[in-house]
Amino acid sequence: MDLIINLFRGGTLHMGQDPNVTAVGGAEVDFGKLYEESLRTVKTGDVVRGWVVQVTREQVTVDIGYKSEGSIPIREFLDRDGQVTVKTGDEIDVYFDSDEGDEGGPVLSRAKAEQLKVWRDIEDAFRNEGTIIGVVTGKVKGGLKVDVGVSAFLPGSHADLRPVRNLDRFLGESMPFAVLKYNRGRGNVVVSRRAVMERERQQLKEETLKVLEEGVIIEGIVKNITDYGAFVDLGGIDGLLHVTDMSWG
């Protein structure tokens, strides 16, 4: 109800306009709809949409259409550089922890809402052979540590299509990963860059096979050179360019 009152005070109602709808900050707000949303039942564990109504140095106040507003510590809205990532008027998803905290309002969390979304994305990528974006943050025994919203492990053998001697070159890189396995209860996630590259290579191979026939001219990338010729990637397919066919002399 706080949101409805505040909006009404700052809104502008024009003649001939629906009395339940007014303009706030250039946007129309349906008070009837807001009132209905304010009466909705929210239970612990729900992720709900809310509006940022105030940002201070210590907390962010969010209205979720509940009987009162909730406050979230400002630290949950800081990026890696310590900058606040939201402003008044933003719509955000928050986790409903309980209906009444120490200050009387509902206990909300942005961090928990984001964690739930991360795990849903991980599960979706695993079940549907999709990908998630991660940043390689460090080296660990046997591979690399990847931040995908939660900490994940990238085995060294899954960093590339071919064995990589120096994994340092991946540090700080952002790239898509496939999810090999995960355990939400234990917080374990194992990812693979090689699986993503293999899928892309298979798609390229299928496209190449559609146009590949004797006599066709096709561009390729030299992948390896030997005494008897060069191996060329034609797009998912490796071809051998024999040394006797490289030039006239």
Side-chain angles (χ1 to χ4, degrees), residues 3 29 68 75 81 115 126 166-167 188:
L3 175 64
V29 177
S68 58
R75 64 176 179 273
D81 298 324
Q115 285 289 298
F126 177 77
N166 183 18
L167 294 175
N188 295 333

Side-chain angles (χ1 to χ4, degrees), residues 91-234:
E91 290 188 41
I92 60 173
D93 289 328
V94 295
Y95 180 89
F96 189 87
D97 218 335
S98 64
D99 60 356
E100 189 170 348
D102 295 337
E103 299 180 0
V107 180
L108 308 175
S109 173
R110 174 75 179 284
K112 288 184 178 180
E114 292 183 330
Q115 285 289 298
L116 281 176
K117 182 180 184 303
V118 167
W119 283 109
R120 287 170 182 167
D121 290 343
I122 290 172
E123 181 179 358
D124 182 67
F126 177 77
R127 295 183 180 279
N128 301 306
E129 294 190 349
T131 61
I132 53 175
I133 300 298
V135 178
V136 180
T137 58
K139 291 178 63 176
V140 293
K141 184 178 179 180
L144 295 166
K145 184 178 180 181
V146 182
D147 182 1
V148 294
V150 295
S151 182
F153 175 63
L154 171 65
S157 59
H158 282 267
D160 207 333
L161 289 172
R162 297 178 177 83
V164 179
R165 293 182 180 180
N166 183 18
L167 294 175
D168 289 340
R169 68 186 182 90
F170 294 110
L171 295 177
E173 292 291 325
S174 175
M175 58 190 77
F177 296 94
V179 178
L180 296 183
K181 58 182 179 180
Y182 72 98
N183 186 313
R184 181 174 173 181
R186 297 181 179 179
N188 295 333
V189 183
V190 180
V191 296
S192 172
R193 177 171 177 259
R194 188 184 75 189
V196 176
M197 299 176 72
E198 287 175 344
R199 294 173 190 172
E200 293 175 346
R201 189 172 178 81
Q202 180 61 31
Q203 292 177 353
L204 286 173
K205 179 179 179 180
E206 293 174 359
E207 293 299 320
T208 300
L209 288 174
K210 293 179 181 179
V211 299
L212 193 63
E213 60 183 34
E214 186 175 346
V216 71
I217 297 177
I218 188 170
E219 291 187 2
I221 300 175
V222 177
K223 291 296 185 180
N224 190 27
I225 298 177
T226 67
D227 292 338
Y228 51 86
F231 287 95
V232 182
D233 184 355
L234 303 177

